[in-house]
Amino acid sequence: MRILMIAPPGAGKGTQGALIAAHFGMPHISTGELLRDHVARQTALGQAVRKHLDRGELVPDQIVLDMLREAMVAAKAAGGGFVLDGIPRNMQQARAAYEMGRELDMTADVALHLQADDGELVRRLLARAALEHRSDDTADIIAQRLALYYEVTSPIVSWYRDRGILVSVDAMRSAQEVGREILAALEAMRPLLDHVPAQARLSIDLTGLGEAFGATGSPVGTSD
Ligand code: AMP
């Protein structure tokens, strides 16, 4: 399966991305992790992007698109599946990722949209800050990252809805509950993907399901 995730900071894309990747045995491609690794190793790239990460700003598109191409080529050699975490982050990246996918014959099957309220996102990120000491998990920078998400990332959701590959999930519940729902939806879709062309698919909204089935678990901290 070829999956990309769109989610505000704190919604759990790191946690759910790792779960999906482990479940389907495919690479978890996290641009944030790759960039933080460069910063930690103090590579030339790490030094160039550090200030963007510290300020909660996006790094230049070409840097993450080069990373994406390298990771997609490796994913193709490893069987063709992947789960993207943190990219695309704006419309230009979404278009470029689509072109790259067409060129490599590996466009995304599913755009997974994780939804959660700002209050919950801020609570989770501040809780994570106490544990992980990420330079961008401070109150000011969290506010900046959320604002950027609404300004440039969330508009790409409708593009995936129009393509018929959007699956929206309520991420306000525990990581376990959200993970179970995502895996069940993906498992149900998997046999259809090879047979139903993307143009003939309909987007799926699972955000009302938790309530319908009486999910009560309180949300827990997640990693993004
Ligand atoms: P994340 O781990 O996804 O929250 O990303 C952490 C930081 O890495 C972001 O705040 C950006 O500075 C940078 N970053 C990650 N992915 C991208 C991307 N696709 N485009 C631009 N910047 C990114």
Side-chain angles (χ1 to χ4, degrees):
M1 288 193 104
R2 298 182 298 272
I3 299 163
L4 61 85
M5 291 186 294
I6 310 159
K13 57 187 164 51
T15 304
Q16 303 303 341
L19 177 77
I20 297 165
H23 182 83
F24 291 105
M26 55 198 200
H28 174 201
I29 302 167
S30 162
T31 44
E33 284 295 327
L34 292 169
L35 291 166
R36 280 189 290 280
D37 181 58
H38 274 280
V39 171
R41 289 187 290 119
Q42 299 186 340
T43 64
L45 178 66
Q47 282 164 8
V49 299
R50 180 183 195 131
K51 65 176 189 311
H52 294 93
L53 270 77
D54 286 349
R55 293 183 194 149
E57 297 165 357
L58 296 186
V59 310
D61 290 343
Q62 201 52 52
I63 291 180
V64 286
L65 290 171
D66 288 348
M67 284 180 159
L68 179 64
R69 178 176 290 278
E70 197 180 319
M72 296 255 283
V73 167
K76 184 160 185 156
F82 57 75
V83 52
L84 298 189
D85 165 352
I87 188 166
R89 210 84 162 208
N90 58 31
M91 203 57 222
Q92 294 88 299
Q93 291 182 15
R95 289 211 178 89
Y98 182 62
E99 286 309 317
M100 209 182 281
R102 281 173 42 124
E103 199 186 300
L104 295 168
D105 197 19
M106 40 191 326
T107 54
D109 302 308
V110 175
L112 197 59
H113 179 209
L114 306 183
Q115 295 180 322
D117 293 353
D118 284 5
E120 173 62 16
L121 296 172
V122 171
R123 192 192 67 72
R124 290 182 189 178
L125 291 168
L126 290 175
R128 180 173 76 183
L131 295 172
E132 291 182 21
H133 307 292
R134 252 176 71 162
S135 63
D136 55 354
D137 279 345
T138 61
D140 285 359
I141 303 298
I142 289 170
Q144 150 72 19
R145 287 160 63 208
L146 276 175
L148 195 60
Y149 174 79
Y150 291 116
E151 190 188 331
V152 303
T153 307
S154 75
I156 68 179
V157 167
S158 56
W159 193 62
Y160 292 108
R161 186 179 294 115
D162 292 347
R163 273 177 54 197
I165 65 167
L166 187 72
V167 176
S168 299
V169 173
D170 174 9
M172 287 291 285
R173 295 160 295 149
S174 73
Q176 290 83 351
E177 283 171 300
V178 175
R180 264 199 302 274
E181 183 171 290
I182 289 173
L183 293 184
L186 294 176
E187 281 293 1
M189 294 171 74
R190 181 149 69 146
L192 304 175
L193 293 176
D194 290 337
H195 307 293
V196 184
Q199 311 87 283
R201 293 185 203 148
L202 291 177
S203 288
I204 302 170
D205 186 350
L206 300 175
T207 53
L209 271 190
E211 243 166 65
F213 288 104
T216 52
S218 58
V220 296
T222 53
S223 83
D224 283 274

